[in-house]
Amino acid sequence: SSVLGKSQTSNMPLFYITPQYGVHVITETMQAKLLHTMTNSLNPFQNPSLQHKTKIDETSPLHLQQKVQELFDLDDDNIRDILTPEECARLAGGFGATDDSVAHLLMDAMIEDFEKENQKKSTCHLQNLVNEGLTAAVRSGDFNTSRQLLILYTLVASRGQQERERANSTMSHESLSVQGENEFLQAPPSPINDHKKRLAREFSRRSSSVMSEGPMPKAPEKAPSQTSGLIEKTAVPPPPPPPPLDTDKLRSATNSDGLLAVLGAAEVLKSMQNEAAKNRAIEAIEAIEEWIDKSENSVAYRLAHWRDLTAAQGDLKIATESSSHFMAFVSNKAIHNRKKFAEQLRESIKKTNFESINFLKSIHDMVSTMHSPCLRLELLQFILGLDNRYSVAHVARSVELAATCLNISAYEATFARNDEVGESFITNS
């Protein structure tokens, strides 16, 4: 027996073989129509034999490997020449595509945004593509493709931000040099193509394992060089979270634990990026301290609050792991827990940059110590911008995925800074 790869099957027609109808050849024209139908008229779906073995809480390595093998390659199969970028995003989110090809799709959208920004035009092409893909992922109920899109979006947006800063710095430097030499007629070269080539190299090197459940790649260890000391001196904080994605409607359209985790992570990053988390945290502290003041001297107030909570839990208005314990409100345990929670929040506000991973770490530390939270869970949902379906487990998963995305941002910032310093060292040598 022999295994045929892409090089052997190049230009080979597709065959549709069934016992009822025999063998039919699917021509290129029919393939193009099929792709258009899949992305515009067909409700996306997963392979039924893999769907229940590749969930967030139940993943079989063997089934996940088969899922990876079945992914579309938007580049090698000429799909991007047939479909629009929006249709490609729907195909990636609804049916699945390889990491590299999705990264290239998003990278080209980011480059387009970059070019329009230089022309003083506002555009959100990258965000719109990701939203198209996430919508298709929700329709197919696919946690893995939605996770892939969010992580690759963070990767592209983070690197794009670094390249924008780098391009602006390069163009400013070249403009000053031209003016200094009185060469007013010589326009500074555009750096966009160079940045696109550099981005392509970075993605081919680091976007190959997003779909798998393994750990994200770590920065490779470099041998000591003449630039190592300079790099350490010029280290910069990681960039802020990526531009926000609007996932409110998508969250309300799914009850999947995996999709809620991904869409929740997107909302957490949004709350961090626009500083809404910081403002809500301050309001939450004030609310919980007001409750503590009223509860310390009134058992009746605590019991009334417990009755309201149990009623809300019965109506499924609050997502809790278990019902609130009556004795926690009769004794001072509820007061103690909420005092500690308020202290942790206040400490986080004082010491934490709300755009950094340290904020997510402090939130995760709080969640990991919760057993039967009620008001504390409501306040965390409020701070992170999540709805009342998010239980402690859902919040933890969303925070963990958001932290993964920010780790990628920090990873990209380190590489961007290292590349910049290395080039500067070579130029000045």
Side-chain angles (χ1 to χ4, degrees):
S1 61
S2 61
V3 178
L4 298 179
K6 288 189 175 180
S7 58
Q8 289 82 8
T9 58
S10 178
N11 299 321
M12 181 181 293
L14 290 179
F15 293 94
Y16 179 65
I17 305 175
T18 60
Q20 297 88 351
Y21 302 105
V23 179
H24 292 267
V25 177
I26 304 179
T27 64
E28 291 186 357
T29 302
M30 294 174 65
Q31 291 178 41
K33 290 182 178 179
L34 177 61
L35 288 172
H36 283 294
T37 301
M38 290 174 63
T39 55
N40 292 288
S41 304
L42 183 64
N43 192 58
F45 58 88
Q46 301 181 59
N47 185 335
S49 64
L50 304 178
Q51 184 173 1
H52 300 293
K53 296 294 183 180
T54 54
K55 299 188 295 183
I56 187 172
D57 54 353
E58 183 183 352
T59 300
S60 164
L62 184 63
H63 289 82
L64 184 61
Q65 181 62 31
Q66 182 180 344
K67 186 179 181 68
V68 172
Q69 293 173 349
E70 294 179 357
L71 297 176
F72 286 96
D73 191 327
L74 304 179
D75 296 326
D76 290 348
D77 298 334
N78 296 324
I79 294 177
R80 293 186 61 186
D81 296 332
I82 300 173
L83 303 179
T84 65
E86 290 76 14
E87 290 172 334
C88 287
R90 293 182 208 133
L91 187 67
F95 297 96
T98 61
D99 292 338
D100 281 342
S101 63
V102 176
H104 294 154
L105 175 69
L106 300 184
M107 181 181 65
D108 287 343
M110 186 270 296
I111 294 294
E112 180 180 330
D113 288 345
F114 191 7
E115 292 172 342
K116 289 186 177 181
E117 283 182 11
N118 289 339
Q119 300 171 5
K120 308 300 181 182
K121 297 179 181 178
S122 61
T123 179
C124 299
H125 188 44
L126 175 59
Q127 291 159 270
N128 293 337
L129 276 189
V130 176
N131 280 325
E132 287 281 352
L134 289 176
T135 301
V138 169
R139 292 176 63 192
S140 66
D142 199 328
F143 152 72
N144 292 282
T145 58
S146 63
R147 176 181 179 272
Q148 176 200 46
L149 281 166
L150 182 62
I151 292 178
L152 289 179
Y153 169 65
T154 305
L155 182 65
V156 172
S158 173
R159 192 59 170 162
Q161 180 177 350
Q162 297 294 326
E163 292 300 328
R164 283 186 182 90
E165 295 174 358
R166 190 171 185 163
N168 292 335
S169 176
T170 301
M171 295 178 70
S172 299
H173 177 74
E174 290 174 349
S175 298
L176 289 174
S177 299
V178 168
Q179 292 178 4
E181 297 174 5
N182 294 322
E183 297 178 355
F184 295 107
L185 298 179
Q186 179 181 355
S190 172
I192 291 177
N193 290 332
D194 292 338
H195 295 319
K196 188 171 183 177
K197 293 177 181 178
R198 187 184 298 111
L199 282 165
R201 291 197 302 270
E202 296 298 332
F203 285 123
S204 63
R205 181 171 64 184
R206 277 177 268 155
S207 67
S208 60
S209 60
V210 173
M211 178 63 77
S212 66
E213 290 295 327
M216 294 305 300
K218 296 181 180 179
E221 296 180 0
K222 293 186 178 181
S225 64
Q226 292 176 323
T227 62
S228 60
L230 184 60
I231 291 173
E232 291 177 1
K233 292 180 182 179
T234 55
V236 294
L245 297 170
D246 186 6
T247 60
D248 293 342
K249 293 182 179 179
L250 294 180
R251 287 202 311 279
S252 63
T254 182
N255 288 317
S256 163
D257 289 342
L259 288 168
L260 284 175
V262 173
L263 299 175
E267 185 63 27
V268 169
L269 293 172
K270 175 182 176 181
S271 298
M272 295 171 66
Q273 200 268 347
N274 61 18
E275 296 188 350
K278 182 177 182 180
N279 298 330
R280 293 171 187 159
I282 295 174
E283 294 181 32
I285 292 175
E286 294 174 352
I288 202 167
E289 287 181 342
E290 179 182 354
W291 183 89
I292 292 171
D293 290 339
K294 293 181 179 179
S295 297
E296 282 183 324
N297 299 318
S298 176
V299 177
Y301 180 81
R302 296 201 299 269
L303 294 180
H305 185 71
W306 171 82
R307 186 174 59 251
D308 293 340
L309 284 175
T310 53
Q313 290 165 3
D315 294 337
L316 300 179
K317 293 180 180 179
I318 303 177
T320 55
E321 306 299 331
S322 59
S323 300
S324 302
H325 295 300
F326 174 76
M327 292 306 299
F329 287 82
V330 173
S331 63
N332 289 327
K333 185 177 180 180
I335 296 177
H336 171 75
N337 289 340
R338 295 178 182 187
K339 274 186 177 180
K340 183 178 179 181
F341 179 70
E343 291 171 0
Q344 289 175 321
L345 272 183
R346 192 173 292 280
E347 195 70 15
S348 298
I349 292 177
K350 288 181 180 179
K351 295 184 178 180
T352 301
N353 175 8
F354 276 76
E355 292 186 347
S356 75
I357 196 172
N358 291 331
F359 166 67
L360 294 178
K361 183 179 182 301
S362 64
I363 294 295
H364 194 269
D365 289 342
M366 296 178 201
V367 173
S368 61
T369 60
M370 292 181 177
H371 299 292
S372 299
C374 298
L375 180 61
R376 289 175 293 160
L377 178 57
E378 284 188 84
L379 293 176
L380 277 183
Q381 294 167 349
F382 170 68
I383 292 171
L384 300 176
L386 305 176
D387 57 62
N388 56 18
R389 293 178 300 160
Y390 279 77
S391 64
V392 173
H394 287 123
V395 172
R397 289 168 180 163
S398 298
V399 169
E400 288 166 3
L401 181 53
T404 299
C405 293
L406 287 189
N407 268 332
I408 296 174
S409 296
Y411 179 79
E412 287 297 304
T414 301
F415 266 89
R417 178 56 59 179
N418 288 358
D419 291 344
E420 183 177 346
V421 173
E423 291 180 5
S424 176
F425 181 84
I426 294 172
T427 303
N428 296 329
S429 297

PDB file of all heavy atoms in Angstrom, residues 239-259:
ATOM      1  N   PRO A 239       2.155  44.435  25.224  1.00  0.00           N
ATOM      2  CA  PRO A 239       1.103  45.311  24.725  1.00  0.00           C
ATOM      3  C   PRO A 239      -0.217  45.019  25.405  1.00  0.00           C
ATOM      4  O   PRO A 239      -0.413  43.955  25.986  1.00  0.00           O
ATOM      5  CB  PRO A 239       1.044  44.967  23.227  1.00  0.00           C
ATOM      6  CG  PRO A 239       1.566  43.574  23.151  1.00  0.00           C
ATOM      7  CD  PRO A 239       2.609  43.475  24.210  1.00  0.00           C
ATOM      8  N   PRO A 240      -1.166  45.951  25.326  1.00  0.00           N
ATOM      9  CA  PRO A 240      -2.480  45.723  25.942  1.00  0.00           C
ATOM     10  C   PRO A 240      -3.249  44.662  25.180  1.00  0.00           C
ATOM     11  O   PRO A 240      -2.819  44.206  24.118  1.00  0.00           O
ATOM     12  CB  PRO A 240      -3.145  47.099  25.818  1.00  0.00           C
ATOM     13  CG  PRO A 240      -2.474  47.750  24.659  1.00  0.00           C
ATOM     14  CD  PRO A 240      -1.058  47.267  24.692  1.00  0.00           C
ATOM     15  N   PRO A 241      -4.404  44.231  25.700  1.00  0.00           N
ATOM     16  CA  PRO A 241      -5.217  43.238  24.991  1.00  0.00           C
ATOM     17  C   PRO A 241      -5.579  43.715  23.596  1.00  0.00           C
ATOM     18  O   PRO A 241      -5.535  44.914  23.297  1.00  0.00           O
ATOM     19  CB  PRO A 241      -6.461  43.116  25.886  1.00  0.00           C
ATOM     20  CG  PRO A 241      -6.006  43.548  27.236  1.00  0.00           C
ATOM     21  CD  PRO A 241      -4.978  44.604  27.003  1.00  0.00           C
ATOM     22  N   PRO A 242      -5.933  42.795  22.707  1.00  0.00           N
ATOM     23  CA  PRO A 242      -6.263  43.162  21.331  1.00  0.00           C
ATOM     24  C   PRO A 242      -7.526  44.005  21.270  1.00  0.00           C
ATOM     25  O   PRO A 242      -8.294  44.063  22.238  1.00  0.00           O
ATOM     26  CB  PRO A 242      -6.460  41.808  20.646  1.00  0.00           C
ATOM     27  CG  PRO A 242      -6.857  40.890  21.743  1.00  0.00           C
ATOM     28  CD  PRO A 242      -6.081  41.347  22.945  1.00  0.00           C
ATOM     29  N   PRO A 243      -7.769  44.667  20.143  1.00  0.00           N
ATOM     30  CA  PRO A 243      -9.009  45.438  19.987  1.00  0.00           C
ATOM     31  C   PRO A 243     -10.216  44.569  20.298  1.00  0.00           C
ATOM     32  O   PRO A 243     -10.236  43.371  19.983  1.00  0.00           O
ATOM     33  CB  PRO A 243      -8.980  45.860  18.513  1.00  0.00           C
ATOM     34  CG  PRO A 243      -7.525  45.891  18.168  1.00  0.00           C
ATOM     35  CD  PRO A 243      -6.893  44.795  18.955  1.00  0.00           C
ATOM     36  N   PRO A 244     -11.232  45.148  20.927  1.00  0.00           N
ATOM     37  CA  PRO A 244     -12.358  44.331  21.416  1.00  0.00           C
ATOM     38  C   PRO A 244     -13.200  43.729  20.299  1.00  0.00           C
ATOM     39  O   PRO A 244     -13.346  44.310  19.224  1.00  0.00           O
ATOM     40  CB  PRO A 244     -13.173  45.331  22.251  1.00  0.00           C
ATOM     41  CG  PRO A 244     -12.820  46.673  21.701  1.00  0.00           C
ATOM     42  CD  PRO A 244     -11.388  46.575  21.270  1.00  0.00           C
ATOM     43  N   LEU A 245     -13.733  42.542  20.589  1.00  0.00           N
ATOM     44  CA  LEU A 245     -14.678  41.879  19.700  1.00  0.00           C
ATOM     45  C   LEU A 245     -16.066  41.961  20.319  1.00  0.00           C
ATOM     46  O   LEU A 245     -16.222  41.828  21.527  1.00  0.00           O
ATOM     47  CB  LEU A 245     -14.291  40.411  19.522  1.00  0.00           C
ATOM     48  CG  LEU A 245     -12.945  40.122  18.857  1.00  0.00           C
ATOM     49  CD1 LEU A 245     -12.613  38.634  18.975  1.00  0.00           C
ATOM     50  CD2 LEU A 245     -12.964  40.534  17.387  1.00  0.00           C
ATOM     51  N   ASP A 246     -17.071  42.186  19.485  1.00  0.00           N
ATOM     52  CA  ASP A 246     -18.451  42.272  19.960  1.00  0.00           C
ATOM     53  C   ASP A 246     -19.066  40.871  19.938  1.00  0.00           C
ATOM     54  O   ASP A 246     -19.441  40.347  18.887  1.00  0.00           O
ATOM     55  CB  ASP A 246     -19.260  43.213  19.073  1.00  0.00           C
ATOM     56  CG  ASP A 246     -20.674  43.441  19.609  1.00  0.00           C
ATOM     57  OD1 ASP A 246     -20.958  42.958  20.730  1.00  0.00           O
ATOM     58  OD2 ASP A 246     -21.476  44.088  18.919  1.00  0.00           O
ATOM     59  N   THR A 247     -19.142  40.232  21.112  1.00  0.00           N
ATOM     60  CA  THR A 247     -19.641  38.846  21.196  1.00  0.00           C
ATOM     61  C   THR A 247     -20.926  38.730  22.011  1.00  0.00           C
ATOM     62  O   THR A 247     -21.310  37.624  22.395  1.00  0.00           O
ATOM     63  CB  THR A 247     -18.562  37.941  21.819  1.00  0.00           C
ATOM     64  OG1 THR A 247     -18.253  38.412  23.144  1.00  0.00           O
ATOM     65  CG2 THR A 247     -17.296  37.926  20.972  1.00  0.00           C
ATOM     66  N   ASP A 248     -21.592  39.831  22.286  1.00  0.00           N
ATOM     67  CA  ASP A 248     -22.790  39.791  23.135  1.00  0.00           C
ATOM     68  C   ASP A 248     -23.877  38.893  22.545  1.00  0.00           C
ATOM     69  O   ASP A 248     -24.445  38.035  23.240  1.00  0.00           O
ATOM     70  CB  ASP A 248     -23.330  41.208  23.341  1.00  0.00           C
ATOM     71  CG  ASP A 248     -22.389  42.071  24.157  1.00  0.00           C
ATOM     72  OD1 ASP A 248     -21.506  41.493  24.835  1.00  0.00           O
ATOM     73  OD2 ASP A 248     -22.511  43.307  24.119  1.00  0.00           O
ATOM     74  N   LYS A 249     -24.169  39.060  21.268  1.00  0.00           N
ATOM     75  CA  LYS A 249     -25.229  38.266  20.639  1.00  0.00           C
ATOM     76  C   LYS A 249     -24.829  36.804  20.537  1.00  0.00           C
ATOM     77  O   LYS A 249     -25.671  35.910  20.676  1.00  0.00           O
ATOM     78  CB  LYS A 249     -25.564  38.838  19.253  1.00  0.00           C
ATOM     79  CG  LYS A 249     -26.209  40.216  19.293  1.00  0.00           C
ATOM     80  CD  LYS A 249     -26.549  40.695  17.890  1.00  0.00           C
ATOM     81  CE  LYS A 249     -27.211  42.070  17.931  1.00  0.00           C
ATOM     82  NZ  LYS A 249     -27.529  42.561  16.564  1.00  0.00           N
ATOM     83  N   LEU A 250     -23.546  36.555  20.292  1.00  0.00           N
ATOM     84  CA  LEU A 250     -23.092  35.175  20.163  1.00  0.00           C
ATOM     85  C   LEU A 250     -23.207  34.436  21.493  1.00  0.00           C
ATOM     86  O   LEU A 250     -23.575  33.257  21.523  1.00  0.00           O
ATOM     87  CB  LEU A 250     -21.643  35.147  19.664  1.00  0.00           C
ATOM     88  CG  LEU A 250     -21.398  35.665  18.246  1.00  0.00           C
ATOM     89  CD1 LEU A 250     -19.921  35.583  17.896  1.00  0.00           C
ATOM     90  CD2 LEU A 250     -22.222  34.872  17.238  1.00  0.00           C
ATOM     91  N   ARG A 251     -22.880  35.112  22.594  1.00  0.00           N
ATOM     92  CA  ARG A 251     -22.969  34.452  23.896  1.00  0.00           C
ATOM     93  C   ARG A 251     -24.401  34.059  24.221  1.00  0.00           C
ATOM     94  O   ARG A 251     -24.649  33.008  24.817  1.00  0.00           O
ATOM     95  CB  ARG A 251     -22.424  35.365  25.001  1.00  0.00           C
ATOM     96  CG  ARG A 251     -20.928  35.510  24.995  1.00  0.00           C
ATOM     97  CD  ARG A 251     -20.408  35.954  26.349  1.00  0.00           C
ATOM     98  NE  ARG A 251     -21.127  37.089  26.904  1.00  0.00           N
ATOM     99  CZ  ARG A 251     -20.923  38.355  26.574  1.00  0.00           C
ATOM    100  NH1 ARG A 251     -20.005  38.650  25.669  1.00  0.00           N
ATOM    101  NH2 ARG A 251     -21.604  39.329  27.132  1.00  0.00           N
ATOM    102  N   SER A 252     -25.334  34.894  23.831  1.00  0.00           N
ATOM    103  CA  SER A 252     -26.738  34.592  24.116  1.00  0.00           C
ATOM    104  C   SER A 252     -27.283  33.487  23.218  1.00  0.00           C
ATOM    105  O   SER A 252     -28.360  32.950  23.474  1.00  0.00           O
ATOM    106  CB  SER A 252     -27.592  35.857  23.945  1.00  0.00           C
ATOM    107  OG  SER A 252     -27.555  36.311  22.599  1.00  0.00           O
ATOM    108  N   ALA A 253     -26.533  33.129  22.165  1.00  0.00           N
ATOM    109  CA  ALA A 253     -27.023  32.136  21.202  1.00  0.00           C
ATOM    110  C   ALA A 253     -26.493  30.737  21.470  1.00  0.00           C
ATOM    111  O   ALA A 253     -26.787  29.820  20.695  1.00  0.00           O
ATOM    112  CB  ALA A 253     -26.633  32.560  19.787  1.00  0.00           C
ATOM    113  N   THR A 254     -25.715  30.539  22.536  1.00  0.00           N
ATOM    114  CA  THR A 254     -25.153  29.216  22.785  1.00  0.00           C
ATOM    115  C   THR A 254     -25.190  28.876  24.266  1.00  0.00           C
ATOM    116  O   THR A 254     -25.154  29.772  25.119  1.00  0.00           O
ATOM    117  CB  THR A 254     -23.698  29.136  22.280  1.00  0.00           C
ATOM    118  OG1 THR A 254     -23.189  27.816  22.493  1.00  0.00           O
ATOM    119  CG2 THR A 254     -22.805  30.120  23.020  1.00  0.00           C
ATOM    120  N   ASN A 255     -25.283  27.585  24.544  1.00  0.00           N
ATOM    121  CA  ASN A 255     -25.161  27.072  25.904  1.00  0.00           C
ATOM    122  C   ASN A 255     -23.990  26.104  26.041  1.00  0.00           C
ATOM    123  O   ASN A 255     -23.834  25.460  27.073  1.00  0.00           O
ATOM    124  CB  ASN A 255     -26.452  26.367  26.335  1.00  0.00           C
ATOM    125  CG  ASN A 255     -27.583  27.358  26.597  1.00  0.00           C
ATOM    126  OD1 ASN A 255     -27.366  28.396  27.213  1.00  0.00           O
ATOM    127  ND2 ASN A 255     -28.775  27.039  26.114  1.00  0.00           N
ATOM    128  N   SER A 256     -23.182  26.011  24.998  1.00  0.00           N
ATOM    129  CA  SER A 256     -22.030  25.119  25.011  1.00  0.00           C
ATOM    130  C   SER A 256     -20.986  25.620  26.003  1.00  0.00           C
ATOM    131  O   SER A 256     -20.610  26.802  25.980  1.00  0.00           O
ATOM    132  CB  SER A 256     -21.416  25.036  23.612  1.00  0.00           C
ATOM    133  OG  SER A 256     -20.109  24.505  23.652  1.00  0.00           O
ATOM    134  N   ASP A 257     -20.502  24.728  26.875  1.00  0.00           N
ATOM    135  CA  ASP A 257     -19.491  25.124  27.850  1.00  0.00           C
ATOM    136  C   ASP A 257     -18.233  25.639  27.172  1.00  0.00           C
ATOM    137  O   ASP A 257     -17.641  26.639  27.593  1.00  0.00           O
ATOM    138  CB  ASP A 257     -19.128  23.932  28.747  1.00  0.00           C
ATOM    139  CG  ASP A 257     -20.247  23.570  29.710  1.00  0.00           C
ATOM    140  OD1 ASP A 257     -21.132  24.415  29.928  1.00  0.00           O
ATOM    141  OD2 ASP A 257     -20.241  22.448  30.242  1.00  0.00           O
ATOM    142  N   GLY A 258     -17.805  24.955  26.105  1.00  0.00           N
ATOM    143  CA  GLY A 258     -16.594  25.377  25.411  1.00  0.00           C
ATOM    144  C   GLY A 258     -16.740  26.734  24.749  1.00  0.00           C
ATOM    145  O   GLY A 258     -15.865  27.595  24.852  1.00  0.00           O
ATOM    146  N   LEU A 259     -17.862  26.929  24.042  1.00  0.00           N
ATOM    147  CA  LEU A 259     -18.082  28.209  23.366  1.00  0.00           C
ATOM    148  C   LEU A 259     -18.270  29.339  24.364  1.00  0.00           C
ATOM    149  O   LEU A 259     -17.802  30.465  24.137  1.00  0.00           O
ATOM    150  CB  LEU A 259     -19.289  28.106  22.438  1.00  0.00           C
ATOM    151  CG  LEU A 259     -19.059  27.275  21.173  1.00  0.00           C
ATOM    152  CD1 LEU A 259     -20.375  26.993  20.462  1.00  0.00           C
ATOM    153  CD2 LEU A 259     -18.084  27.985  20.237  1.00  0.00           C
TER     154      LEU A 259
END
